[in-house]
Amino acid sequence: MAKLSERDICSKFITPALVDAGWDLHTQIRDEVSFTKGRIVAKVDELMALCDRLKADLATTRQRQATLADTLIAAALEAA
C-alpha cells in the first residue's frame, strides 16, 4: 500500500466528504496556505550561524584565559 501524504488524504477523503456534507468548496473550505515562505528557516539559519560564532569566541576566550593563568602562575613562582 502506498503511503499517502497529508495533502493526498485531504484531497481524496476529507474534501470530498465535506462537499458531500453540503459545504461550499469556494466559500467554506480553505486549502493550506503558507504564511512565511521560508522566513522562519532563514532566521533559524541566521541564529545558528550566530551560535557557531559565539561558540568559537568562547573557545578562544577560554584558551586566552588558560594562557593568562599559566603565565601569571609561572611569573608568581619565578618571583617567589
Side-chain angles (χ1 to χ4, degrees), residues 15 17-29:
T15 301
L18 291 172
V19 171
D20 289 346
W23 288 55
D24 182 17
L25 184 61
H26 301 290
T27 61
Q28 293 180 305
I29 301 172

Side-chain angles (χ1 to χ4, degrees), residues 21-39:
W23 288 55
D24 182 17
L25 184 61
H26 301 290
T27 61
Q28 293 180 305
I29 301 172
R30 183 169 182 179
D31 279 334
E32 298 172 19
V33 294
S34 175
F35 292 108
T36 61
K37 206 74 165 179
R39 289 188 326 212

Side-chain angles (χ1 to χ4, degrees), residues 3 6-7 9 17 23 25 32 34-35 41 44-45 53 59 66-67 75 80:
K3 281 189 163 184
E6 183 177 343
R7 176 80 316 229
I9 292 169
W23 288 55
L25 184 61
E32 298 172 19
S34 175
F35 292 108
V41 172
V44 168
D45 289 343
R53 287 194 309 269
T67 302

Side-chain angles (χ1 to χ4, degrees), residues 31-76:
D31 279 334
E32 298 172 19
V33 294
S34 175
F35 292 108
T36 61
K37 206 74 165 179
R39 289 188 326 212
I40 291 174
V41 172
K43 192 62 162 178
V44 168
D45 289 343
E46 182 182 326
L47 291 171
M48 293 303 294
L50 177 61
C51 287
D52 291 341
R53 287 194 309 269
L54 289 172
K55 285 179 188 177
D57 288 349
L58 282 172
T60 300
T61 299
R62 286 186 186 119
Q63 182 58 43
R64 287 179 182 164
Q65 287 175 340
T67 302
L68 177 59
D70 291 344
T71 302
L72 289 173
I73 291 170

